Amino acid sequence: MGRPAASSLRKSLKLAYANGALWGGGSGLASVSLIAYFARELHAGGTAIAWILAAPSLAGLLRLGTPWWLHRVASRRRFCVAMFLASAATLAALPFVAAPGRFGDSAWSLAALGSAWSVAQTLEFIGVVALWSWFGDLVPAAVRGRFVGRREAWLTAGLVAGGFAAAAITWAWQRHCTAIGRPELLWKSYAACASFGAALSALATLPLARVAEPRAASRSTRNSGTSPLPRLGDLVRPLVDPRFRRLMAFGVCFSVANGLVQSPRQIFLASVLRLELAEKRSLDAASRGVQILLMPWLGRLVDRRGNVRLLVVSWSIVSLALVFFLIATPATWWLIIGAYVCWIAYAGLNVTLPNLMLSLSPRESTASYAAAWFAWTQLAYSLSILGGGYLFDRLAAMESPAGSLPATGGWLDRFGILFAASGALMLVGVGLAARVPEPTDEEAA
């Protein structure tokens, strides 16, 4: 496997950063939060929103087949560009197929919204597996932490810019709808954000198409006769690899803890604290803006000191965010800002997790390991989203007229139960993070 010359590598890394910034901008405009708010305009309940948020991860199991597809294409670069363009095209169609009244029934509009979002996300997921396999071969291990940190910083910068744009669009349109007495037209601002996000996501493929493409390690060994095409056993190989399995255990716990509160958290912010989408996106953007400053430095720190200690500290801080969800009320809604401060620590997770995934993967099996990492952690995430949405609706039926659950002595409501359960899982995750092995020099190379 030959990596590009130093000058070509520097150019490729800059192009990868540009791709991340544009892609982040598209994701910031067309985000999970946007889809959740769009769904609420179509009268979706907790379970329906949970299904819409979870469906992409369920369909994302298809990415387990990415290693087979990569062995049958001439270029990972062209494969990635094709997947991301197809994803952007599907996202662009979402506002048209999910428009209220398109099918005469909000249930059908919700189904159309969920289907378009799932297809767009699944195509992106498949492309991401190929992308990380490509980057793993492109970037030397000695500077991989810096590359991940800088690219994540550019990606987050795009998310911040896209988030502010979405906040401005929805805020201005909501004021317009209020002024003309037509609040039912608010969905059009969500549709516009999805369309602009699709356009930016498509534009992000232009720099990606110019990034150098070294020969894949798996393909070079295969051509030498030492490695066959992927086999069915490769699907479970990452799960039985004792070192990678510890990373997977943390990843699954991480995903379940986050997924369990995904639907209740969106409803809590929108319906209990009554944060408008513009306000929520502004808080998201502010939290991520600080991450932008931290991630390049954290990337250098990882290259010098390793990943695991930073992973443990970052996850511990992120876990504290649940405390602010437990204590915030409509009268003290500003306390939720504390959660966004804690979420700044996601900067450490965004640097260490991709680096650990690549470094603990055998060079000839990066695509298989990346596919397993994304597929199984996202499956855990999607199932926990569904479980959280189901429990949220069931607990709602058990609440007293005062809004609390008698079984808790009146201390907690349905939100508090799920936030506390997620917090307990996060504490378990701290222990699992501490057991993740630090990659050796041979593994990282």
Side-chain angles (χ1 to χ4, degrees), residues 261-286:
V261 291
Q262 189 62 233
S263 180
R265 191 165 64 194
Q266 300 290 346
I267 295 173
F268 183 78
L269 292 172
S271 300
V272 178
L273 299 187
R274 300 192 180 281
L275 289 184
E276 297 176 2
L277 180 60
E279 294 170 327
K280 182 184 182 303
R281 297 315 300 273
S282 296
L283 288 172
D284 288 336

mmCIF file with all atom_site columns, all heavy atoms in Angstrom, residues 261-286:
data_model
loop_
_atom_site.group_PDB
_atom_site.id
_atom_site.type_symbol
_atom_site.label_atom_id
_atom_site.label_alt_id
_atom_site.label_comp_id
_atom_site.label_asym_id
_atom_site.label_entity_id
_atom_site.label_seq_id
_atom_site.pdbx_PDB_ins_code
_atom_site.Cartn_x
_atom_site.Cartn_y
_atom_site.Cartn_z
_atom_site.occupancy
_atom_site.B_iso_or_equiv
_atom_site.pdbx_formal_charge
_atom_site.auth_seq_id
_atom_site.auth_comp_id
_atom_site.auth_asym_id
_atom_site.auth_atom_id
_atom_site.pdbx_PDB_model_num
ATOM 1   N N   . VAL A 1 261 ? -32.942 8.538  25.567 1.00 0.00 ? 261 VAL A N   1
ATOM 2   C CA  . VAL A 1 261 ? -33.545 9.849  25.866 1.00 0.00 ? 261 VAL A CA  1
ATOM 3   C C   . VAL A 1 261 ? -33.687 10.730 24.624 1.00 0.00 ? 261 VAL A C   1
ATOM 4   O O   . VAL A 1 261 ? -34.055 11.895 24.749 1.00 0.00 ? 261 VAL A O   1
ATOM 5   C CB  . VAL A 1 261 ? -32.712 10.605 26.927 1.00 0.00 ? 261 VAL A CB  1
ATOM 6   C CG1 . VAL A 1 261 ? -32.830 9.916  28.269 1.00 0.00 ? 261 VAL A CG1 1
ATOM 7   C CG2 . VAL A 1 261 ? -31.260 10.734 26.501 1.00 0.00 ? 261 VAL A CG2 1
ATOM 8   N N   . GLN A 1 262 ? -33.407 10.177 23.449 1.00 0.00 ? 262 GLN A N   1
ATOM 9   C CA  . GLN A 1 262 ? -33.429 11.017 22.264 1.00 0.00 ? 262 GLN A CA  1
ATOM 10  C C   . GLN A 1 262 ? -34.815 11.608 22.016 1.00 0.00 ? 262 GLN A C   1
ATOM 11  O O   . GLN A 1 262 ? -34.975 12.832 21.888 1.00 0.00 ? 262 GLN A O   1
ATOM 12  C CB  . GLN A 1 262 ? -32.985 10.216 21.045 1.00 0.00 ? 262 GLN A CB  1
ATOM 13  C CG  . GLN A 1 262 ? -32.758 11.037 19.796 1.00 0.00 ? 262 GLN A CG  1
ATOM 14  C CD  . GLN A 1 262 ? -31.662 12.054 19.955 1.00 0.00 ? 262 GLN A CD  1
ATOM 15  O OE1 . GLN A 1 262 ? -31.862 13.235 19.691 1.00 0.00 ? 262 GLN A OE1 1
ATOM 16  N NE2 . GLN A 1 262 ? -30.486 11.632 20.406 1.00 0.00 ? 262 GLN A NE2 1
ATOM 17  N N   . SER A 1 263 ? -35.841 10.772 21.972 1.00 0.00 ? 263 SER A N   1
ATOM 18  C CA  . SER A 1 263 ? -37.191 11.283 21.746 1.00 0.00 ? 263 SER A CA  1
ATOM 19  C C   . SER A 1 263 ? -37.700 12.096 22.934 1.00 0.00 ? 263 SER A C   1
ATOM 20  O O   . SER A 1 263 ? -38.185 13.224 22.747 1.00 0.00 ? 263 SER A O   1
ATOM 21  C CB  . SER A 1 263 ? -38.137 10.112 21.433 1.00 0.00 ? 263 SER A CB  1
ATOM 22  O OG  . SER A 1 263 ? -39.448 10.571 21.203 1.00 0.00 ? 263 SER A OG  1
ATOM 23  N N   . PRO A 1 264 ? -37.599 11.596 24.198 1.00 0.00 ? 264 PRO A N   1
ATOM 24  C CA  . PRO A 1 264 ? -38.038 12.419 25.337 1.00 0.00 ? 264 PRO A CA  1
ATOM 25  C C   . PRO A 1 264 ? -37.296 13.747 25.432 1.00 0.00 ? 264 PRO A C   1
ATOM 26  O O   . PRO A 1 264 ? -37.891 14.768 25.802 1.00 0.00 ? 264 PRO A O   1
ATOM 27  C CB  . PRO A 1 264 ? -37.730 11.536 26.551 1.00 0.00 ? 264 PRO A CB  1
ATOM 28  C CG  . PRO A 1 264 ? -37.749 10.147 26.020 1.00 0.00 ? 264 PRO A CG  1
ATOM 29  C CD  . PRO A 1 264 ? -37.217 10.248 24.621 1.00 0.00 ? 264 PRO A CD  1
ATOM 30  N N   . ARG A 1 265 ? -36.007 13.759 25.099 1.00 0.00 ? 265 ARG A N   1
ATOM 31  C CA  . ARG A 1 265 ? -35.236 15.002 25.192 1.00 0.00 ? 265 ARG A CA  1
ATOM 32  C C   . ARG A 1 265 ? -35.741 16.033 24.197 1.00 0.00 ? 265 ARG A C   1
ATOM 33  O O   . ARG A 1 265 ? -35.873 17.220 24.524 1.00 0.00 ? 265 ARG A O   1
ATOM 34  C CB  . ARG A 1 265 ? -33.752 14.710 24.959 1.00 0.00 ? 265 ARG A CB  1
ATOM 35  C CG  . ARG A 1 265 ? -32.848 15.874 25.300 1.00 0.00 ? 265 ARG A CG  1
ATOM 36  C CD  . ARG A 1 265 ? -31.413 15.409 25.411 1.00 0.00 ? 265 ARG A CD  1
ATOM 37  N NE  . ARG A 1 265 ? -30.883 14.917 24.151 1.00 0.00 ? 265 ARG A NE  1
ATOM 38  C CZ  . ARG A 1 265 ? -29.759 14.207 24.037 1.00 0.00 ? 265 ARG A CZ  1
ATOM 39  N NH1 . ARG A 1 265 ? -29.061 13.887 25.112 1.00 0.00 ? 265 ARG A NH1 1
ATOM 40  N NH2 . ARG A 1 265 ? -29.334 13.800 22.863 1.00 0.00 ? 265 ARG A NH2 1
ATOM 41  N N   . GLN A 1 266 ? -36.030 15.581 22.963 1.00 0.00 ? 266 GLN A N   1
ATOM 42  C CA  . GLN A 1 266 ? -36.543 16.516 21.970 1.00 0.00 ? 266 GLN A CA  1
ATOM 43  C C   . GLN A 1 266 ? -37.892 17.086 22.415 1.00 0.00 ? 266 GLN A C   1
ATOM 44  O O   . GLN A 1 266 ? -38.156 18.291 22.276 1.00 0.00 ? 266 GLN A O   1
ATOM 45  C CB  . GLN A 1 266 ? -36.700 15.805 20.614 1.00 0.00 ? 266 GLN A CB  1
ATOM 46  C CG  . GLN A 1 266 ? -35.426 15.224 20.027 1.00 0.00 ? 266 GLN A CG  1
ATOM 47  C CD  . GLN A 1 266 ? -34.457 16.278 19.548 1.00 0.00 ? 266 GLN A CD  1
ATOM 48  O OE1 . GLN A 1 266 ? -34.810 17.440 19.401 1.00 0.00 ? 266 GLN A OE1 1
ATOM 49  N NE2 . GLN A 1 266 ? -33.224 15.878 19.305 1.00 0.00 ? 266 GLN A NE2 1
ATOM 50  N N   . ILE A 1 267 ? -38.753 16.224 22.962 1.00 0.00 ? 267 ILE A N   1
ATOM 51  C CA  . ILE A 1 267 ? -40.073 16.679 23.401 1.00 0.00 ? 267 ILE A CA  1
ATOM 52  C C   . ILE A 1 267 ? -39.939 17.586 24.626 1.00 0.00 ? 267 ILE A C   1
ATOM 53  O O   . ILE A 1 267 ? -40.657 18.590 24.756 1.00 0.00 ? 267 ILE A O   1
ATOM 54  C CB  . ILE A 1 267 ? -40.972 15.461 23.710 1.00 0.00 ? 267 ILE A CB  1
ATOM 55  C CG1 . ILE A 1 267 ? -41.229 14.676 22.421 1.00 0.00 ? 267 ILE A CG1 1
ATOM 56  C CG2 . ILE A 1 267 ? -42.294 15.905 24.330 1.00 0.00 ? 267 ILE A CG2 1
ATOM 57  C CD1 . ILE A 1 267 ? -41.954 13.364 22.634 1.00 0.00 ? 267 ILE A CD1 1
ATOM 58  N N   . PHE A 1 268 ? -39.025 17.260 25.530 1.00 0.00 ? 268 PHE A N   1
ATOM 59  C CA  . PHE A 1 268 ? -38.815 18.067 26.742 1.00 0.00 ? 268 PHE A CA  1
ATOM 60  C C   . PHE A 1 268 ? -38.395 19.491 26.372 1.00 0.00 ? 268 PHE A C   1
ATOM 61  O O   . PHE A 1 268 ? -38.928 20.463 26.906 1.00 0.00 ? 268 PHE A O   1
ATOM 62  C CB  . PHE A 1 268 ? -37.747 17.400 27.610 1.00 0.00 ? 268 PHE A CB  1
ATOM 63  C CG  . PHE A 1 268 ? -37.492 18.097 28.912 1.00 0.00 ? 268 PHE A CG  1
ATOM 64  C CD1 . PHE A 1 268 ? -38.367 17.949 29.977 1.00 0.00 ? 268 PHE A CD1 1
ATOM 65  C CD2 . PHE A 1 268 ? -36.367 18.901 29.079 1.00 0.00 ? 268 PHE A CD2 1
ATOM 66  C CE1 . PHE A 1 268 ? -38.133 18.597 31.194 1.00 0.00 ? 268 PHE A CE1 1
ATOM 67  C CE2 . PHE A 1 268 ? -36.122 19.541 30.289 1.00 0.00 ? 268 PHE A CE2 1
ATOM 68  C CZ  . PHE A 1 268 ? -37.013 19.388 31.348 1.00 0.00 ? 268 PHE A CZ  1
ATOM 69  N N   . LEU A 1 269 ? -37.459 19.595 25.439 1.00 0.00 ? 269 LEU A N   1
ATOM 70  C CA  . LEU A 1 269 ? -36.985 20.923 25.047 1.00 0.00 ? 269 LEU A CA  1
ATOM 71  C C   . LEU A 1 269 ? -38.077 21.712 24.332 1.00 0.00 ? 269 LEU A C   1
ATOM 72  O O   . LEU A 1 269 ? -38.233 22.919 24.559 1.00 0.00 ? 269 LEU A O   1
ATOM 73  C CB  . LEU A 1 269 ? -35.758 20.790 24.139 1.00 0.00 ? 269 LEU A CB  1
ATOM 74  C CG  . LEU A 1 269 ? -34.484 20.248 24.794 1.00 0.00 ? 269 LEU A CG  1
ATOM 75  C CD1 . LEU A 1 269 ? -33.415 19.982 23.740 1.00 0.00 ? 269 LEU A CD1 1
ATOM 76  C CD2 . LEU A 1 269 ? -33.959 21.218 25.846 1.00 0.00 ? 269 LEU A CD2 1
ATOM 77  N N   . ALA A 1 270 ? -38.843 21.019 23.460 1.00 0.00 ? 270 ALA A N   1
ATOM 78  C CA  . ALA A 1 270 ? -39.830 21.729 22.651 1.00 0.00 ? 270 ALA A CA  1
ATOM 79  C C   . ALA A 1 270 ? -41.131 21.993 23.394 1.00 0.00 ? 270 ALA A C   1
ATOM 80  O O   . ALA A 1 270 ? -41.702 23.083 23.279 1.00 0.00 ? 270 ALA A O   1
ATOM 81  C CB  . ALA A 1 270 ? -40.118 20.927 21.371 1.00 0.00 ? 270 ALA A CB  1
ATOM 82  N N   . SER A 1 271 ? -41.603 21.006 24.181 1.00 0.00 ? 271 SER A N   1
ATOM 83  C CA  . SER A 1 271 ? -42.940 21.101 24.762 1.00 0.00 ? 271 SER A CA  1
ATOM 84  C C   . SER A 1 271 ? -42.950 21.506 26.232 1.00 0.00 ? 271 SER A C   1
ATOM 85  O O   . SER A 1 271 ? -43.920 22.115 26.688 1.00 0.00 ? 271 SER A O   1
ATOM 86  C CB  . SER A 1 271 ? -43.669 19.757 24.606 1.00 0.00 ? 271 SER A CB  1
ATOM 87  O OG  . SER A 1 271 ? -43.795 19.409 23.239 1.00 0.00 ? 271 SER A OG  1
ATOM 88  N N   . VAL A 1 272 ? -41.921 21.135 26.994 1.00 0.00 ? 272 VAL A N   1
ATOM 89  C CA  . VAL A 1 272 ? -41.888 21.479 28.415 1.00 0.00 ? 272 VAL A CA  1
ATOM 90  C C   . VAL A 1 272 ? -41.158 22.807 28.623 1.00 0.00 ? 272 VAL A C   1
ATOM 91  O O   . VAL A 1 272 ? -41.712 23.753 29.189 1.00 0.00 ? 272 VAL A O   1
ATOM 92  C CB  . VAL A 1 272 ? -41.226 20.362 29.245 1.00 0.00 ? 272 VAL A CB  1
ATOM 93  C CG1 . VAL A 1 272 ? -41.155 20.763 30.717 1.00 0.00 ? 272 VAL A CG1 1
ATOM 94  C CG2 . VAL A 1 272 ? -42.024 19.065 29.099 1.00 0.00 ? 272 VAL A CG2 1
ATOM 95  N N   . LEU A 1 273 ? -39.925 22.880 28.169 1.00 0.00 ? 273 LEU A N   1
ATOM 96  C CA  . LEU A 1 273 ? -39.184 24.137 28.305 1.00 0.00 ? 273 LEU A CA  1
ATOM 97  C C   . LEU A 1 273 ? -39.598 25.162 27.252 1.00 0.00 ? 273 LEU A C   1
ATOM 98  O O   . LEU A 1 273 ? -39.259 26.336 27.367 1.00 0.00 ? 273 LEU A O   1
ATOM 99  C CB  . LEU A 1 273 ? -37.681 23.875 28.201 1.00 0.00 ? 273 LEU A CB  1
ATOM 100 C CG  . LEU A 1 273 ? -37.078 22.949 29.259 1.00 0.00 ? 273 LEU A CG  1
ATOM 101 C CD1 . LEU A 1 273 ? -35.558 22.922 29.142 1.00 0.00 ? 273 LEU A CD1 1
ATOM 102 C CD2 . LEU A 1 273 ? -37.496 23.364 30.663 1.00 0.00 ? 273 LEU A CD2 1
ATOM 103 N N   . ARG A 1 274 ? -40.301 24.678 26.213 1.00 0.00 ? 274 ARG A N   1
ATOM 104 C CA  . ARG A 1 274 ? -40.811 25.541 25.137 1.00 0.00 ? 274 ARG A CA  1
ATOM 105 C C   . ARG A 1 274 ? -39.708 26.324 24.435 1.00 0.00 ? 274 ARG A C   1
ATOM 106 O O   . ARG A 1 274 ? -39.849 27.516 24.138 1.00 0.00 ? 274 ARG A O   1
ATOM 107 C CB  . ARG A 1 274 ? -41.892 26.490 25.666 1.00 0.00 ? 274 ARG A CB  1
ATOM 108 C CG  . ARG A 1 274 ? -43.090 25.755 26.246 1.00 0.00 ? 274 ARG A CG  1
ATOM 109 C CD  . ARG A 1 274 ? -44.276 26.647 26.497 1.00 0.00 ? 274 ARG A CD  1
ATOM 110 N NE  . ARG A 1 274 ? -45.398 25.906 27.050 1.00 0.00 ? 274 ARG A NE  1
ATOM 111 C CZ  . ARG A 1 274 ? -46.231 25.141 26.357 1.00 0.00 ? 274 ARG A CZ  1
ATOM 112 N NH1 . ARG A 1 274 ? -46.056 25.005 25.060 1.00 0.00 ? 274 ARG A NH1 1
ATOM 113 N NH2 . ARG A 1 274 ? -47.215 24.500 26.951 1.00 0.00 ? 274 ARG A NH2 1
ATOM 114 N N   . LEU A 1 275 ? -38.604 25.640 24.186 1.00 0.00 ? 275 LEU A N   1
ATOM 115 C CA  . LEU A 1 275 ? -37.556 26.248 23.374 1.00 0.00 ? 275 LEU A CA  1
ATOM 116 C C   . LEU A 1 275 ? -37.961 26.181 21.913 1.00 0.00 ? 275 LEU A C   1
ATOM 117 O O   . LEU A 1 275 ? -38.340 25.117 21.409 1.00 0.00 ? 275 LEU A O   1
ATOM 118 C CB  . LEU A 1 275 ? -36.229 25.497 23.554 1.00 0.00 ? 275 LEU A CB  1
ATOM 119 C CG  . LEU A 1 275 ? -35.496 25.627 24.891 1.00 0.00 ? 275 LEU A CG  1
ATOM 120 C CD1 . LEU A 1 275 ? -34.175 24.878 24.805 1.00 0.00 ? 275 LEU A CD1 1
ATOM 121 C CD2 . LEU A 1 275 ? -35.240 27.083 25.236 1.00 0.00 ? 275 LEU A CD2 1
ATOM 122 N N   . GLU A 1 276 ? -37.906 27.302 21.237 1.00 0.00 ? 276 GLU A N   1
ATOM 123 C CA  . GLU A 1 276 ? -38.123 27.285 19.798 1.00 0.00 ? 276 GLU A CA  1
ATOM 124 C C   . GLU A 1 276 ? -36.918 26.649 19.117 1.00 0.00 ? 276 GLU A C   1
ATOM 125 O O   . GLU A 1 276 ? -35.818 26.586 19.681 1.00 0.00 ? 276 GLU A O   1
ATOM 126 C CB  . GLU A 1 276 ? -38.321 28.708 19.283 1.00 0.00 ? 276 GLU A CB  1
ATOM 127 C CG  . GLU A 1 276 ? -39.552 29.395 19.849 1.00 0.00 ? 276 GLU A CG  1
ATOM 128 C CD  . GLU A 1 276 ? -39.667 30.831 19.387 1.00 0.00 ? 276 GLU A CD  1
ATOM 129 O OE1 . GLU A 1 276 ? -38.792 31.279 18.592 1.00 0.00 ? 276 GLU A OE1 1
ATOM 130 O OE2 . GLU A 1 276 ? -40.612 31.517 19.809 1.00 0.00 ? 276 GLU A OE2 1
ATOM 131 N N   . LEU A 1 277 ? -37.135 26.156 17.901 1.00 0.00 ? 277 LEU A N   1
ATOM 132 C CA  . LEU A 1 277 ? -36.034 25.518 17.184 1.00 0.00 ? 277 LEU A CA  1
ATOM 133 C C   . LEU A 1 277 ? -34.864 26.493 17.045 1.00 0.00 ? 277 LEU A C   1
ATOM 134 O O   . LEU A 1 277 ? -33.701 26.106 17.159 1.00 0.00 ? 277 LEU A O   1
ATOM 135 C CB  . LEU A 1 277 ? -36.494 25.036 15.800 1.00 0.00 ? 277 LEU A CB  1
ATOM 136 C CG  . LEU A 1 277 ? -35.421 24.349 14.947 1.00 0.00 ? 277 LEU A CG  1
ATOM 137 C CD1 . LEU A 1 277 ? -34.873 23.111 15.637 1.00 0.00 ? 277 LEU A CD1 1
ATOM 138 C CD2 . LEU A 1 277 ? -35.954 23.991 13.568 1.00 0.00 ? 277 LEU A CD2 1
ATOM 139 N N   . ALA A 1 278 ? -35.168 27.762 16.806 1.00 0.00 ? 278 ALA A N   1
ATOM 140 C CA  . ALA A 1 278 ? -34.094 28.757 16.657 1.00 0.00 ? 278 ALA A CA  1
ATOM 141 C C   . ALA A 1 278 ? -33.266 28.845 17.929 1.00 0.00 ? 278 ALA A C   1
ATOM 142 O O   . ALA A 1 278 ? -32.034 28.947 17.879 1.00 0.00 ? 278 ALA A O   1
ATOM 143 C CB  . ALA A 1 278 ? -34.695 30.115 16.314 1.00 0.00 ? 278 ALA A CB  1
ATOM 144 N N   . GLU A 1 279 ? -33.939 28.818 19.102 1.00 0.00 ? 279 GLU A N   1
ATOM 145 C CA  . GLU A 1 279 ? -33.212 28.886 20.365 1.00 0.00 ? 279 GLU A CA  1
ATOM 146 C C   . GLU A 1 279 ? -32.371 27.635 20.587 1.00 0.00 ? 279 GLU A C   1
ATOM 147 O O   . GLU A 1 279 ? -31.206 27.710 21.005 1.00 0.00 ? 279 GLU A O   1
ATOM 148 C CB  . GLU A 1 279 ? -34.201 29.065 21.513 1.00 0.00 ? 279 GLU A CB  1
ATOM 149 C CG  . GLU A 1 279 ? -34.934 30.392 21.475 1.00 0.00 ? 279 GLU A CG  1
ATOM 150 C CD  . GLU A 1 279 ? -36.076 30.466 22.472 1.00 0.00 ? 279 GLU A CD  1
ATOM 151 O OE1 . GLU A 1 279 ? -36.710 29.425 22.725 1.00 0.00 ? 279 GLU A OE1 1
ATOM 152 O OE2 . GLU A 1 279 ? -36.331 31.569 22.985 1.00 0.00 ? 279 GLU A OE2 1
ATOM 153 N N   . LYS A 1 280 ? -32.960 26.475 20.290 1.00 0.00 ? 280 LYS A N   1
ATOM 154 C CA  . LYS A 1 280 ? -32.220 25.228 20.476 1.00 0.00 ? 280 LYS A CA  1
ATOM 155 C C   . LYS A 1 280 ? -31.006 25.162 19.557 1.00 0.00 ? 280 LYS A C   1
ATOM 156 O O   . LYS A 1 280 ? -29.911 24.772 19.966 1.00 0.00 ? 280 LYS A O   1
ATOM 157 C CB  . LYS A 1 280 ? -33.132 24.024 20.212 1.00 0.00 ? 280 LYS A CB  1
ATOM 158 C CG  . LYS A 1 280 ? -32.432 22.689 20.431 1.00 0.00 ? 280 LYS A CG  1
ATOM 159 C CD  . LYS A 1 280 ? -33.323 21.533 20.080 1.00 0.00 ? 280 LYS A CD  1
ATOM 160 C CE  . LYS A 1 280 ? -32.587 20.217 20.372 1.00 0.00 ? 280 LYS A CE  1
ATOM 161 N NZ  . LYS A 1 280 ? -31.309 20.099 19.647 1.00 0.00 ? 280 LYS A NZ  1
ATOM 162 N N   . ARG A 1 281 ? -31.189 25.537 18.306 1.00 0.00 ? 281 ARG A N   1
ATOM 163 C CA  . ARG A 1 281 ? -30.077 25.487 17.369 1.00 0.00 ? 281 ARG A CA  1
ATOM 164 C C   . ARG A 1 281 ? -28.982 26.479 17.751 1.00 0.00 ? 281 ARG A C   1
ATOM 165 O O   . ARG A 1 281 ? -27.791 26.233 17.514 1.00 0.00 ? 281 ARG A O   1
ATOM 166 C CB  . ARG A 1 281 ? -30.557 25.758 15.941 1.00 0.00 ? 281 ARG A CB  1
ATOM 167 C CG  . ARG A 1 281 ? -31.533 24.728 15.379 1.00 0.00 ? 281 ARG A CG  1
ATOM 168 C CD  . ARG A 1 281 ? -31.103 23.298 15.649 1.00 0.00 ? 281 ARG A CD  1
ATOM 169 N NE  . ARG A 1 281 ? -29.824 22.985 15.077 1.00 0.00 ? 281 ARG A NE  1
ATOM 170 C CZ  . ARG A 1 281 ? -29.650 22.545 13.837 1.00 0.00 ? 281 ARG A CZ  1
ATOM 171 N NH1 . ARG A 1 281 ? -30.685 22.356 13.049 1.00 0.00 ? 281 ARG A NH1 1
ATOM 172 N NH2 . ARG A 1 281 ? -28.438 22.263 13.395 1.00 0.00 ? 281 ARG A NH2 1
ATOM 173 N N   . SER A 1 282 ? -29.364 27.602 18.335 1.00 0.00 ? 282 SER A N   1
ATOM 174 C CA  . SER A 1 282 ? -28.366 28.566 18.788 1.00 0.00 ? 282 SER A CA  1
ATOM 175 C C   . SER A 1 282 ? -27.526 27.993 19.928 1.00 0.00 ? 282 SER A C   1
ATOM 176 O O   . SER A 1 282 ? -26.301 28.164 19.958 1.00 0.00 ? 282 SER A O   1
ATOM 177 C CB  . SER A 1 282 ? -29.042 29.863 19.243 1.00 0.00 ? 282 SER A CB  1
ATOM 178 O OG  . SER A 1 282 ? -29.698 30.489 18.157 1.00 0.00 ? 282 SER A OG  1
ATOM 179 N N   . LEU A 1 283 ? -28.177 27.280 20.863 1.00 0.00 ? 283 LEU A N   1
ATOM 180 C CA  . LEU A 1 283 ? -27.440 26.633 21.941 1.00 0.00 ? 283 LEU A CA  1
ATOM 181 C C   . LEU A 1 283 ? -26.532 25.530 21.395 1.00 0.00 ? 283 LEU A C   1
ATOM 182 O O   . LEU A 1 283 ? -25.389 25.369 21.823 1.00 0.00 ? 283 LEU A O   1
ATOM 183 C CB  . LEU A 1 283 ? -28.411 26.061 22.977 1.00 0.00 ? 283 LEU A CB  1
ATOM 184 C CG  . LEU A 1 283 ? -29.137 27.085 23.856 1.00 0.00 ? 283 LEU A CG  1
ATOM 185 C CD1 . LEU A 1 283 ? -30.218 26.401 24.690 1.00 0.00 ? 283 LEU A CD1 1
ATOM 186 C CD2 . LEU A 1 283 ? -28.144 27.804 24.771 1.00 0.00 ? 283 LEU A CD2 1
ATOM 187 N N   . ASP A 1 284 ? -27.070 24.743 20.449 1.00 0.00 ? 284 ASP A N   1
ATOM 188 C CA  . ASP A 1 284 ? -26.250 23.709 19.801 1.00 0.00 ? 284 ASP A CA  1
ATOM 189 C C   . ASP A 1 284 ? -25.000 24.331 19.182 1.00 0.00 ? 284 ASP A C   1
ATOM 190 O O   . ASP A 1 284 ? -23.885 23.832 19.339 1.00 0.00 ? 284 ASP A O   1
ATOM 191 C CB  . ASP A 1 284 ? -27.048 23.006 18.686 1.00 0.00 ? 284 ASP A CB  1
ATOM 192 C CG  . ASP A 1 284 ? -28.126 22.087 19.224 1.00 0.00 ? 284 ASP A CG  1
ATOM 193 O OD1 . ASP A 1 284 ? -27.998 21.631 20.379 1.00 0.00 ? 284 ASP A OD1 1
ATOM 194 O OD2 . ASP A 1 284 ? -29.093 21.823 18.489 1.00 0.00 ? 284 ASP A OD2 1
ATOM 195 N N   . ALA A 1 285 ? -25.220 25.417 18.464 1.00 0.00 ? 285 ALA A N   1
ATOM 196 C CA  . ALA A 1 285 ? -24.121 26.059 17.752 1.00 0.00 ? 285 ALA A CA  1
ATOM 197 C C   . ALA A 1 285 ? -23.085 26.620 18.720 1.00 0.00 ? 285 ALA A C   1
ATOM 198 O O   . ALA A 1 285 ? -21.876 26.523 18.470 1.00 0.00 ? 285 ALA A O   1
ATOM 199 C CB  . ALA A 1 285 ? -24.662 27.172 16.847 1.00 0.00 ? 285 ALA A CB  1
ATOM 200 N N   . ALA A 1 286 ? -23.540 27.209 19.820 1.00 0.00 ? 286 ALA A N   1
ATOM 201 C CA  . ALA A 1 286 ? -22.594 27.769 20.794 1.00 0.00 ? 286 ALA A CA  1
ATOM 202 C C   . ALA A 1 286 ? -21.736 26.664 21.407 1.00 0.00 ? 286 ALA A C   1
ATOM 203 O O   . ALA A 1 286 ? -20.513 26.806 21.553 1.00 0.00 ? 286 ALA A O   1
ATOM 204 C CB  . ALA A 1 286 ? -23.354 28.522 21.873 1.00 0.00 ? 286 ALA A CB  1
#
